[in-house]
Amino acid sequence: NAGVTQTPKFQVLKTGQSMTLQCAQDMNHEYMSWYRQDPGMGLRLIHYSVGAGITDQGEVPNGYNVSRSTTEDFPLRLLSAAPSQTSVYFCASSLTASYGYTFGSGTRLTVV
Amino acid sequence: DQQVKQNSPSLSVQEGRISILNCDYTNSMFDYFLWYKKYPAEGPTFLISISSIKDKNEDGRFTVFLNKSAKHLSLHIVPSQPGDSAVYFCAASPSLNKLVFGAGTILRVKS
């Protein structure tokens, strides 16, 4: 089992560019989430999904878009990158939160 | 407004001794609490959890204590090992879909 796979691992964007962070899991988990980690702030929820076709906003959704067309994939789209979106992004999946989310290894994004 | 607070940014402990990591929360609707461990350049890994109907949960060297009246939980690691050196995140779940994380505590276990 690969678990949760995130690509790319590193990315540098110019302000205003768009891109998609990919996330795939092979555990047949219904719940998937995107978090960003910033120094001194822990991990903050961007968007989450409870199953294919169902998504909802988390704590910091502005500037990001998601869709969930399959159980396995949950891509995160940056519509127009801003320096404030410089962060480490983690994708996670779970049967339920009580089982503990499985996290990917992260994407380090720098917006210049 | 941080709903989950880890007030100690770092903790240093001697190998073999007990490590105690603390976490406070403000939202009484949280019904599940989790601890995650994170090494540099890796994603967080699930360590241990506790339901709000319990006050203690053990898993090997790791024990989590929950004091609902004080809105406080703690993670005890006994005995501490150098491999335990990592960032520890406390997280709380207001629903099955979401986790709210604290800012993390860096644990250093000295050999």
Side-chain angles (χ1 to χ4, degrees), chain A residues 31 33 35 37 40-45 48 50 57 59 90 96-106, chain B residues 1-2 32 34 36 38 41-46 49 87 89 93 95-104:
Chain A
Y31 296 88
S33 305
Y35 290 84
Q37 184 193 6
M41 302 190 75
L43 288 87
R44 293 181 292 168
L45 181 63
Y48 66 97
V50 300
Q57 296 181 351
E59 183 183 353
F90 290 101
T96 68
S98 60
Y99 285 97
Y101 276 80
T102 299
F103 281 83
S105 58
Chain B
D1 178 31
Q2 274 194 306
Y32 220 91
L34 306 93
Y36 282 82
K38 185 183 180 304
E42 294 183 11
T45 54
F46 171 67
S49 64
V87 180
F89 290 100
S93 177
S95 72
L96 293 178
N97 309 328
K98 305 177 185 180
L99 291 177
V100 179
F101 283 84

Side-chain angles (χ1 to χ4, degrees), chain B:
Chain B
D1 178 31
Q2 274 194 306
Q3 298 185 70
V4 177
K5 298 180 184 180
Q6 294 178 254
N7 291 320
S8 298
S10 65
L11 175 68
S12 187
V13 171
Q14 198 67 35
E15 180 180 7
R17 305 294 291 270
I18 184 170
S19 295
I20 300 176
L21 297 104
N22 294 304
C23 178
D24 297 296
Y25 62 96
T26 58
N27 189 341
S28 58
M29 298 301 292
F30 289 147
D31 58 3
Y32 220 91
F33 303 89
L34 306 93
W35 284 94
Y36 282 82
K37 175 179 173 180
K38 185 183 180 304
Y39 293 118
E42 294 183 11
T45 54
F46 171 67
L47 201 53
I48 191 169
S49 64
I50 187 167
S51 164
S52 60
I53 63 173
K54 294 187 174 182
D55 55 16
K56 178 181 174 181
N57 189 27
E58 271 183 276
D59 185 0
R61 297 186 297 115
F62 303 92
T63 303
V64 56
F65 296 92
L66 176 62
N67 182 334
K68 283 184 65 179
S69 60
K71 294 191 176 66
H72 176 83
L73 67 156
S74 61
L75 174 68
H76 293 209
I77 306 173
V78 184
S80 300
Q81 299 173 354
D84 296 330
S85 297
V87 180
Y88 288 79
F89 290 100
C90 169
S93 177
S95 72
L96 293 178
N97 309 328
K98 305 177 185 180
L99 291 177
V100 179
F101 283 84
T105 297
I106 300 170
L107 174 65
R108 296 186 186 92
V109 180
K110 298 175 290 185
S111 56

Side-chain angles (χ1 to χ4, degrees), chain A residues 8-49:
Chain A
K9 291 194 181 302
F10 302 94
Q11 183 71 48
V12 179
L13 285 180
K14 293 184 178 179
T15 297
Q17 285 185 315
S18 63
M19 79 158 295
T20 299
L21 307 185
Q22 301 292 344
C23 175
Q25 52 93 7
D26 60 358
M27 299 172 283
N28 204 31
H29 286 170
E30 290 295 328
Y31 296 88
M32 296 187 75
S33 305
W34 276 101
Y35 290 84
R36 59 178 287 174
Q37 184 193 6
D38 300 294
M41 302 190 75
L43 288 87
R44 293 181 292 168
L45 181 63
I46 305 171
H47 285 285
Y48 66 97
S49 169

